[in-house]
Amino acid sequence: MLKNIRIVLVNTSHPGNIGATARAIKTMGISKLYLVDPLMFPHVKADEMASGALDILGNATVCKTLDEAIADCGLIVGTSARSRAIPWPHMLPREFAEKAMTEGESTEIAVIFGREQSGLTNEELHRCHFHVEIPSNPDYSSLNIAAAVQVIAYECRIATLKDLAKPAQDYPYATAKEMQGFYQELEKTLVSTTFLNPKTPRQLMTRLRRLFHRARPDMMEVNILRGILNAIQKKIV
Ligand code: SAH
């Protein structure tokens, strides 16, 4: 559903790019814009580039942190032109768009875009179920941020034209906030059982995050997992 999709821009430095993004999404029928700690906003350059999409800028939600911007989302994807140290499940824009259109009306979907200079950090990318890469020229792979938004938004619009079957599901997917709470409990339990030594954590939590993100538990499943962790904690204290 286009109305469930939010475009999240992290730490954007050029206000013109924020305006161009507003125009890019409005032309494709997406209306939710989230800005995480933008350098300059509101700004006349954003308004100029937005052209007739001033309403999108006016309704944009400005957040201090990425966690705040995605807290209630059940599908989170990060866009990136490069692959990272720990490989993560990834998709092409078309696959993502089709997936987004089959999600129930109850799932809020976040598509995250990084800084013009440095993209998204590993920590930010590890908040995501999937990474979406626009298959560009390997020798010159980085698109302007608003151009990247346009490609993703266009694919989402095209996907609305297809008749996509909905998967069977009895509970909504767990949101980012619920998963974050689960990871905190999990880490606490792993430390108290001495499985995880906080002095040498290595990539354990990142790998576990990837595992659980891949499984995409629903709310009920996360409640069960947290119940299990609770029972373990009670036994060891
Ligand atoms: N120099 C940065 C590029 C930032 S471009 C880097 O190396 O990561 C700004 C943002 O546009 C990126 O963070 C990403 O969200 C998006 N973007 C640019 N090119 C992209 C591509 N080929 N595929 C997916 N997203 C892309």
Side-chain angles (χ1 to χ4, degrees):
M1 302 283 288
L2 289 175
K3 71 176 175 48
N4 294 351
I5 296 181
R6 72 183 64 170
I7 300 297
V8 182
L9 306 186
V10 179
N11 275 168
T12 314
S13 41
H14 299 295
N17 280 334
I18 299 177
T21 295
R23 183 176 187 174
I25 64 175
K26 187 170 179 180
T27 50
M28 296 298 123
I30 295 173
S31 56
K32 284 193 258 184
L33 180 61
Y34 281 63
L35 305 171
V36 178
D37 196 20
L39 223 65
M40 290 178 269
F41 185 81
H43 196 281
V44 62
K45 283 197 176 137
D47 294 357
E48 279 168 15
M49 293 299 283
S51 190
L54 288 175
D55 54 326
I56 304 280
L57 293 182
N59 293 326
T61 308
V62 179
C63 303
K64 281 210 179 67
T65 64
L66 176 62
D67 280 338
E68 223 177 283
I70 62 172
D72 57 332
C73 294
L75 175 61
I76 300 136
V77 302
T79 56
S80 169
R82 313 177 263 155
S83 50
R84 307 289 164 140
I86 287 206
W88 213 256
H90 65 273
M91 287 183 166
L92 293 173
R94 194 155 302 171
E95 292 171 85
F96 158 67
E98 293 186 357
K99 186 166 192 60
M101 292 312 127
T102 58
E103 301 277 322
E105 298 217 3
S106 56
T107 309
E108 285 289 314
I109 302 168
V111 193
I112 311 172
F113 294 83
R115 301 154 188 83
E116 290 95 329
Q117 296 305 317
S118 55
L120 292 166
T121 64
N122 282 338
E123 202 182 79
E124 287 159 351
L125 284 164
H126 294 162
R127 294 275 186 278
C128 303
H129 293 101
F130 301 98
H131 296 163
V132 175
E133 183 184 343
I134 299 165
S136 47
N137 176 0
D139 299 327
Y140 189 68
S141 61
S142 180
L143 280 77
N144 162 270
I145 184 169
V149 170
Q150 187 76 73
V151 170
I152 305 285
Y154 171 73
E155 288 293 348
C156 290
R157 183 149 198 94
I158 290 291
T160 62
L161 308 176
K162 293 189 181 168
D163 191 13
L164 299 160
K166 291 196 164 57
Q169 201 184 352
D170 51 358
Y171 288 94
Y173 287 120
T175 62
K177 194 174 178 189
E178 287 158 349
M179 289 308 288
Q180 202 51 23
F182 164 66
Y183 290 129
Q184 278 160 9
E185 285 291 312
L186 180 62
E187 188 165 5
K188 209 167 90 188
T189 312
L190 294 175
V191 170
S192 43
T193 55
T194 73
F195 186 83
L196 172 63
N197 180 348
K199 289 196 189 104
T200 54
R202 289 197 293 259
Q203 301 278 24
L204 180 69
M205 287 313 296
T206 302
R207 289 184 188 282
L208 288 172
R209 241 175 217 279
R210 184 176 59 176
L211 166 68
F212 285 105
H213 266 84
R214 198 164 64 227
R216 273 191 88 194
D218 64 30
M219 275 171 178
M220 176 57 89
E221 289 161 344
V222 168
N223 279 341
I224 294 169
L225 288 169
R226 292 191 71 161
I228 294 171
L229 294 176
N230 244 307
I232 296 172
Q233 301 254 20
K234 275 197 196 121
K235 274 276 177 200
I236 44 184
V237 288

